[in-house]
Amino acid sequence: MRIVIFGAHGLTGRTLTGQALAAGHEVTAITRRPAEFPVEHARLRVVGADVYDGNAVDAATAGAEAVLSTLGVPFTRKPVSVYSEGIRNITAAMARHGVSRIVAVSSSATYPHHHADGGFLMNRVLQPIVVATIGRSTYADMRIMEEHLRGSGLRWTIVRPSGLFDTPEVSRYRLHENEAPGIFTSRADLAASLLEQLADDRYLRKAVAVTTVEGTPTLWQMMRNEAVKQPGGPRPDRSRTPR
Ligand SMILES: NC(=O)c1ccc[n+]([C@@H]2O[C@H](COP(=O)([O-])OP(=O)(O)OC[C@H]3O[C@@H](n4cnc5c(N)ncnc54)[C@H](OP(=O)(O)O)[C@@H]3O)[C@@H](O)[C@H]2O)c1
């Protein structure tokens, strides 16, 4: 399948790009920093585009059969618009080019809820604090993105991860409609769950939450790792990229 990945340079996006190539797809990776993109492959096209630039998004989307979005920005107290503006330009380009399938990453905290596996600390302390402070503008913009997709007329799926962490391999992750019991999602599992949607319409025009249950960190480990993650992600080893 010909897939366009927005946010391909990010931590999830790179994993997703590798998994999509390994699965035999033709991938167009969208990044604002194409010269720095660390993956080379015969079925990979790296395109420089800012999602705020409708013309660039339009050109990148032409010829695609499906769009995946792992777009994101770090938490900030400033207004966030990349999710909503990005999805507007992406869906407009899809409509123009007759591309109907889109799978976009949101968050399990977009509509905060009780996590069965979350315990007191997550449900009563951390989630309320993050949602009310550093995550407030991000989740507000994610909700606009989700509503835009619901009204788009496209064949959409919203994928909601919980706290992200990194693992080398995909595990036996779990999918639940709308809300996750768990509080962790590995980026490898998130990437795999995005690709899975292209082959399975169970969650077509629905939101699906992804939970990782194997090899999960502690809450403290996850927060520490996310706090020190490099903007745009680490530089992966080129020799491990599938060819
Ligand atoms: N961290 C968590 O615990 C958590 C929990 C739930 C959901 N999420 C969501 O999960 C998704 C993936 O997270 P991640 O940590 O893997 O992402 P990430 O490493 O922060 O990557 C996001 C990518 O989005 C791209 N991007 C940002 N603004 C852009 C723009 N204006 N135009 C084009 N591209 C732009 C950036 O690529 P370039 O700089 O190359 O352009 C960046 O590499 C995000 O949507 C995040 O909000 C995260």
Side-chain angles (χ1 to χ4, degrees):
M1 191 179 268
R2 292 187 301 280
I3 300 171
V4 178
I5 300 176
F6 288 90
H9 204 188
L11 289 168
T12 305
R14 292 179 197 193
T15 302
L16 176 60
T17 300
Q19 289 183 10
L21 291 168
H25 297 295
E26 282 180 43
V27 177
T28 299
I30 311 301
T31 168
R32 292 166 297 179
R33 300 169 288 150
E36 296 172 32
F37 201 75
V39 181
E40 290 174 15
H41 193 285
R43 280 182 277 104
L44 173 67
R45 184 172 70 114
V46 181
V47 172
D50 189 310
V51 290
Y52 287 97
D53 180 346
N55 291 333
V57 170
D58 188 87
T61 307
E65 292 171 290
V67 170
L68 303 178
S69 173
T70 59
L71 274 177
V73 285
F75 282 142
T76 171
R77 285 175 180 269
K78 295 177 185 163
V80 172
S81 60
V82 71
Y83 301 94
S84 56
E85 291 299 318
I87 214 71
R88 280 195 189 101
N89 282 333
I90 291 167
T91 54
M94 290 175 67
R96 269 194 295 276
H97 294 290
V99 184
S100 64
R101 189 71 173 108
I102 178 165
V103 186
V105 175
S106 176
S107 170
S108 66
T110 302
Y111 293 95
H113 58 89
H114 179 86
H115 296 264
D117 303 340
F120 180 85
L121 183 60
M122 181 64 182
N123 285 311
R124 297 296 189 89
V125 182
L126 283 177
Q127 182 172 255
I129 289 174
V130 170
V131 164
T133 58
I134 52 171
R136 190 183 176 117
S137 49
T138 296
Y139 299 131
D141 199 46
M142 282 179 168
R143 283 191 290 275
I144 298 173
M145 172 183 73
E146 290 200 4
E147 287 314 304
H148 182 82
L149 281 171
R150 290 179 199 285
S152 68
L154 296 172
R155 300 175 66 242
W156 55 269
T157 300
I158 293 161
V159 175
R160 296 174 174 163
S162 297
L164 294 180
F165 69 105
D166 294 304
T167 54
E169 304 293 341
V170 176
S171 72
R172 287 172 292 179
Y173 59 83
R174 296 179 186 166
L175 300 180
H176 294 85
E177 192 171 335
N178 290 323
E179 297 184 352
I183 59 171
F184 298 110
T185 307
S186 87
R187 288 186 170 88
D189 289 350
L190 175 57
S193 71
L194 291 166
L195 280 176
E196 182 186 343
Q197 304 314 309
L198 299 183
D200 183 345
D201 279 350
R202 245 182 323 161
Y203 296 103
L204 186 63
R205 299 195 176 94
K206 291 178 179 169
V208 59
V210 193
T211 297
T212 297
V213 291
E214 297 167 2
T216 53
T218 63
L219 265 176
W220 165 243
Q221 285 168 334
M222 184 197 68
M223 289 189 297
R224 190 190 54 198
N225 291 343
E226 288 302 298
V228 300
K229 80 171 188 179
Q230 296 174 31
R235 304 291 176 255
D237 178 356
R238 275 170 188 253
S239 62
R240 294 171 67 186
T241 303
R243 289 182 183 268

